[in-house]
Amino acid sequence: MIDQTANVLKALGEPTRLKIIKFLSARELCVCELVEVLGISQPRVSQHVKVLKQASLVNERKVRQNSYLSIDEAVLKDAIIIPFQTLMQTRLDKLPELKAENQRFELLEANTAVTACKEGNKRKKFSGNSNQIA
Amino acid sequence: MIDQTANVLKALGEPTRLKIIKFLSARELCVCELVEVLGISQPRVSQHVKVLKQASLVNERKVRQNSYLSIDEAVLKDAIIIPFQTLMQTRLDKLPELKAENQRFELLEANTAVTACKEGNKRKKFSGNSNQIA
DNA sequence: ACATAGTATAAGTATATTATTATATACCCC
DNA sequence: GGGGTATATAATAATATACTTATACTATGT
């Protein structure tokens, strides 16, 4: 989930790919049209489109020898908002990928709101009772 | 605008940084706590936090020698949704960064909906009046 | 002032990404 | 099948990123 979400965000986090997305939002375009419009090489377009397709951000419709690319605005929005918000809204203990991290985090939390930092511990000790992180 | 939007998405498009964001959404944490929780080196945390700060995704509050990091859920949501949606909703001709690209695109559009592809043009001629694609 | 905790930065290395050039594949029309 | 178009892939070079180790900086407590 984390890796996949990161992947979608990363796919969009590149200027050339954002431009492709932007023009595809105007209308369906084939690779050679993107080449014309963006004024960049055909392999460069193909490679970026590949990344976008792998992230399921663009659809492809083959007509004759052309590869027409398009985006579904709603799907696109969902591609960003849903994975990210789902990740953010999922409880930490429901994320298997963060099992070890969350265990350490819960230890932190269990320790009556004391930080993991040694200075924090020191301060805590001074002020009375500490049971620390491990 | 495009570069900046790409930058924000890129900052979030990395697993370690997403994890940091996820834990900061639980509560404010300092660098050394993130080190503990994530189980990774301190420079690694500092470096990723730097990227997140540069993208204005986390806030920093210095207390004693600690650097407490936090995120504002709303700001975070906006950091993703607003830049991206603004980009998507802004008319092509209002994006100075895409001036050249858009001029070529409008040429395409002006040509009675014919594609830039040579094959597309050929088809147009042959079929007399195919309103191609879109 | 000294020792220590917390954080930041520098240097180095390994890997990944981007872009270019050249080439291969697929498809269409004649 | 030959010629041409559209796209994909391979090889390569340039650059960027992520991570580690070592070190510097800053603040704090004694």
Side-chain angles (χ1 to χ4, degrees), chain A residues 51-69:
Chain A
V51 174
L52 292 171
K53 282 195 291 192
Q54 282 171 345
S56 302
L57 291 171
V58 308
N59 300 317
E60 189 179 31
R61 184 173 66 95
K62 299 242 183 193
V63 176
R64 319 176 111 247
Q65 70 268 60
N66 296 71
S67 192
Y68 287 102
L69 308 162

mmCIF file of all heavy atoms in Angstrom, chain A residues 51-69:
data_model
loop_
_atom_site.group_PDB
_atom_site.id
_atom_site.type_symbol
_atom_site.label_atom_id
_atom_site.label_comp_id
_atom_site.label_asym_id
_atom_site.label_seq_id
_atom_site.Cartn_x
_atom_site.Cartn_y
_atom_site.Cartn_z
ATOM 1 N N VAL A 51 5.490 4.816 -17.923
ATOM 2 C CA VAL A 51 5.425 5.007 -16.468
ATOM 3 C C VAL A 51 3.998 5.315 -16.037
ATOM 4 O O VAL A 51 3.495 4.762 -15.052
ATOM 5 C CB VAL A 51 6.371 6.141 -16.023
ATOM 6 C CG1 VAL A 51 6.195 6.444 -14.545
ATOM 7 C CG2 VAL A 51 7.814 5.778 -16.321
ATOM 8 N N LEU A 52 3.342 6.177 -16.796
ATOM 9 C CA LEU A 52 1.970 6.552 -16.454
ATOM 10 C C LEU A 52 1.024 5.364 -16.581
ATOM 11 O O LEU A 52 0.098 5.202 -15.788
ATOM 12 C CB LEU A 52 1.500 7.709 -17.344
ATOM 13 C CG LEU A 52 2.203 9.051 -17.104
ATOM 14 C CD1 LEU A 52 1.836 10.067 -18.177
ATOM 15 C CD2 LEU A 52 1.865 9.595 -15.725
ATOM 16 N N LYS A 53 1.259 4.538 -17.574
ATOM 17 C CA LYS A 53 0.412 3.363 -17.741
ATOM 18 C C LYS A 53 0.642 2.376 -16.603
ATOM 19 O O LYS A 53 -0.309 1.797 -16.064
ATOM 20 C CB LYS A 53 0.689 2.679 -19.093
ATOM 21 C CG LYS A 53 0.041 3.386 -20.274
ATOM 22 C CD LYS A 53 0.008 2.513 -21.522
ATOM 23 C CE LYS A 53 1.411 2.294 -22.080
ATOM 24 N NZ LYS A 53 1.372 1.698 -23.433
ATOM 25 N N GLN A 54 1.904 2.206 -16.222
ATOM 26 C CA GLN A 54 2.201 1.286 -15.129
ATOM 27 C C GLN A 54 1.547 1.733 -13.830
ATOM 28 O O GLN A 54 1.217 0.913 -12.978
ATOM 29 C CB GLN A 54 3.717 1.148 -14.952
ATOM 30 C CG GLN A 54 4.344 0.230 -15.995
ATOM 31 C CD GLN A 54 5.864 0.263 -15.965
ATOM 32 O OE1 GLN A 54 6.465 1.154 -15.367
ATOM 33 N NE2 GLN A 54 6.479 -0.716 -16.615
ATOM 34 N N ALA A 55 1.369 3.025 -13.704
ATOM 35 C CA ALA A 55 0.706 3.539 -12.500
ATOM 36 C C ALA A 55 -0.806 3.608 -12.712
ATOM 37 O O ALA A 55 -1.526 4.150 -11.875
ATOM 38 C CB ALA A 55 1.262 4.911 -12.142
ATOM 39 N N SER A 56 -1.258 3.060 -13.842
ATOM 40 C CA SER A 56 -2.697 3.049 -14.167
ATOM 41 C C SER A 56 -3.292 4.451 -14.241
ATOM 42 O O SER A 56 -4.443 4.660 -13.867
ATOM 43 C CB SER A 56 -3.487 2.223 -13.151
ATOM 44 O OG SER A 56 -2.994 0.915 -13.101
ATOM 45 N N LEU A 57 -2.513 5.382 -14.711
ATOM 46 C CA LEU A 57 -2.998 6.758 -14.774
ATOM 47 C C LEU A 57 -3.521 7.133 -16.151
ATOM 48 O O LEU A 57 -4.263 8.105 -16.287
ATOM 49 C CB LEU A 57 -1.885 7.727 -14.359
ATOM 50 C CG LEU A 57 -1.510 7.644 -12.882
ATOM 51 C CD1 LEU A 57 -0.256 8.452 -12.590
ATOM 52 C CD2 LEU A 57 -2.650 8.151 -12.014
ATOM 53 N N VAL A 58 -3.146 6.386 -17.142
ATOM 54 C CA VAL A 58 -3.682 6.668 -18.482
ATOM 55 C C VAL A 58 -4.201 5.386 -19.102
ATOM 56 O O VAL A 58 -3.727 4.284 -18.802
ATOM 57 C CB VAL A 58 -2.631 7.316 -19.417
ATOM 58 C CG1 VAL A 58 -1.991 8.524 -18.789
ATOM 59 C CG2 VAL A 58 -1.600 6.305 -19.848
ATOM 60 N N ASN A 59 -5.180 5.563 -19.967
ATOM 61 C CA ASN A 59 -5.721 4.437 -20.715
ATOM 62 C C ASN A 59 -5.159 4.474 -22.130
ATOM 63 O O ASN A 59 -4.764 5.516 -22.616
ATOM 64 C CB ASN A 59 -7.240 4.539 -20.782
ATOM 65 C CG ASN A 59 -7.843 4.534 -19.406
ATOM 66 O OD1 ASN A 59 -7.442 3.752 -18.546
ATOM 67 N ND2 ASN A 59 -8.800 5.427 -19.180
ATOM 68 N N GLU A 60 -5.174 3.327 -22.744
ATOM 69 C CA GLU A 60 -4.647 3.234 -24.093
ATOM 70 C C GLU A 60 -5.705 2.604 -24.984
ATOM 71 O O GLU A 60 -6.346 1.629 -24.618
ATOM 72 C CB GLU A 60 -3.391 2.355 -24.072
ATOM 73 C CG GLU A 60 -2.636 2.361 -25.375
ATOM 74 C CD GLU A 60 -1.390 1.494 -25.264
ATOM 75 O OE1 GLU A 60 -1.420 0.513 -24.498
ATOM 76 O OE2 GLU A 60 -0.399 1.796 -25.937
ATOM 77 N N ARG A 61 -5.864 3.192 -26.175
ATOM 78 C CA ARG A 61 -6.812 2.654 -27.134
ATOM 79 C C ARG A 61 -6.084 2.541 -28.455
ATOM 80 O O ARG A 61 -5.662 3.541 -29.031
ATOM 81 C CB ARG A 61 -8.008 3.601 -27.257
ATOM 82 C CG ARG A 61 -9.133 3.116 -28.151
ATOM 83 C CD ARG A 61 -10.328 4.036 -28.056
ATOM 84 N NE ARG A 61 -10.043 5.366 -28.582
ATOM 85 C CZ ARG A 61 -10.320 5.745 -29.852
ATOM 86 N NH1 ARG A 61 -10.887 4.913 -30.682
ATOM 87 N NH2 ARG A 61 -10.027 6.969 -30.256
ATOM 88 N N LYS A 62 -5.899 1.329 -28.895
ATOM 89 C CA LYS A 62 -5.143 1.124 -30.135
ATOM 90 C C LYS A 62 -6.072 1.217 -31.334
ATOM 91 O O LYS A 62 -7.078 0.508 -31.419
ATOM 92 C CB LYS A 62 -4.464 -0.241 -30.117
ATOM 93 C CG LYS A 62 -3.456 -0.413 -28.984
ATOM 94 C CD LYS A 62 -2.054 -0.643 -29.504
ATOM 95 C CE LYS A 62 -1.086 -0.875 -28.360
ATOM 96 N NZ LYS A 62 0.316 -0.807 -28.789
ATOM 97 N N VAL A 63 -5.750 2.101 -32.237
ATOM 98 C CA VAL A 63 -6.525 2.254 -33.463
ATOM 99 C C VAL A 63 -5.524 2.267 -34.603
ATOM 100 O O VAL A 63 -4.663 3.129 -34.639
ATOM 101 C CB VAL A 63 -7.308 3.585 -33.474
ATOM 102 C CG1 VAL A 63 -8.021 3.759 -34.805
ATOM 103 C CG2 VAL A 63 -8.286 3.626 -32.324
ATOM 104 N N ARG A 64 -5.653 1.299 -35.481
ATOM 105 C CA ARG A 64 -4.679 1.161 -36.542
ATOM 106 C C ARG A 64 -3.318 1.056 -35.874
ATOM 107 O O ARG A 64 -3.185 0.368 -34.881
ATOM 108 C CB ARG A 64 -4.790 2.340 -37.501
ATOM 109 C CG ARG A 64 -6.253 2.711 -37.768
ATOM 110 C CD ARG A 64 -6.393 3.924 -38.642
ATOM 111 N NE ARG A 64 -6.938 3.508 -39.929
ATOM 112 C CZ ARG A 64 -6.260 3.561 -41.061
ATOM 113 N NH1 ARG A 64 -5.022 4.004 -41.059
ATOM 114 N NH2 ARG A 64 -6.817 3.171 -42.162
ATOM 115 N N GLN A 65 -2.365 1.820 -36.396
ATOM 116 C CA GLN A 65 -1.061 1.718 -35.725
ATOM 117 C C GLN A 65 -0.900 2.753 -34.621
ATOM 118 O O GLN A 65 0.148 2.835 -34.002
ATOM 119 C CB GLN A 65 0.076 1.821 -36.733
ATOM 120 C CG GLN A 65 0.256 3.175 -37.352
ATOM 121 C CD GLN A 65 -0.542 3.289 -38.645
ATOM 122 O OE1 GLN A 65 -1.766 3.158 -38.670
ATOM 123 N NE2 GLN A 65 0.162 3.546 -39.720
ATOM 124 N N ASN A 66 -1.933 3.518 -34.404
ATOM 125 C CA ASN A 66 -1.826 4.568 -33.394
ATOM 126 C C ASN A 66 -2.202 4.070 -32.003
ATOM 127 O O ASN A 66 -3.043 3.208 -31.841
ATOM 128 C CB ASN A 66 -2.747 5.736 -33.753
ATOM 129 C CG ASN A 66 -2.346 6.405 -35.052
ATOM 130 O OD1 ASN A 66 -2.525 5.813 -36.106
ATOM 131 N ND2 ASN A 66 -1.791 7.578 -34.979
ATOM 132 N N SER A 67 -1.581 4.695 -31.051
ATOM 133 C CA SER A 67 -1.874 4.381 -29.669
ATOM 134 C C SER A 67 -2.462 5.629 -29.027
ATOM 135 O O SER A 67 -1.743 6.575 -28.720
ATOM 136 C CB SER A 67 -0.571 3.978 -28.970
ATOM 137 O OG SER A 67 -0.832 3.401 -27.727
ATOM 138 N N TYR A 68 -3.760 5.633 -28.902
ATOM 139 C CA TYR A 68 -4.424 6.810 -28.348
ATOM 140 C C TYR A 68 -4.496 6.726 -26.839
ATOM 141 O O TYR A 68 -4.965 5.738 -26.273
ATOM 142 C CB TYR A 68 -5.826 6.974 -28.950
ATOM 143 C CG TYR A 68 -5.760 7.457 -30.366
ATOM 144 C CD1 TYR A 68 -5.950 6.583 -31.429
ATOM 145 C CD2 TYR A 68 -5.465 8.791 -30.645
ATOM 146 C CE1 TYR A 68 -5.854 7.028 -32.740
ATOM 147 C CE2 TYR A 68 -5.372 9.243 -31.943
ATOM 148 C CZ TYR A 68 -5.567 8.357 -32.995
ATOM 149 O OH TYR A 68 -5.471 8.795 -34.271
ATOM 150 N N LEU A 69 -4.036 7.776 -26.232
ATOM 151 C CA LEU A 69 -3.967 7.810 -24.780
ATOM 152 C C LEU A 69 -5.006 8.759 -24.224
ATOM 153 O O LEU A 69 -5.292 9.802 -24.820
ATOM 154 C CB LEU A 69 -2.582 8.272 -24.360
ATOM 155 C CG LEU A 69 -1.465 7.453 -25.018
ATOM 156 C CD1 LEU A 69 -0.150 8.172 -24.936
ATOM 157 C CD2 LEU A 69 -1.405 6.085 -24.390
#
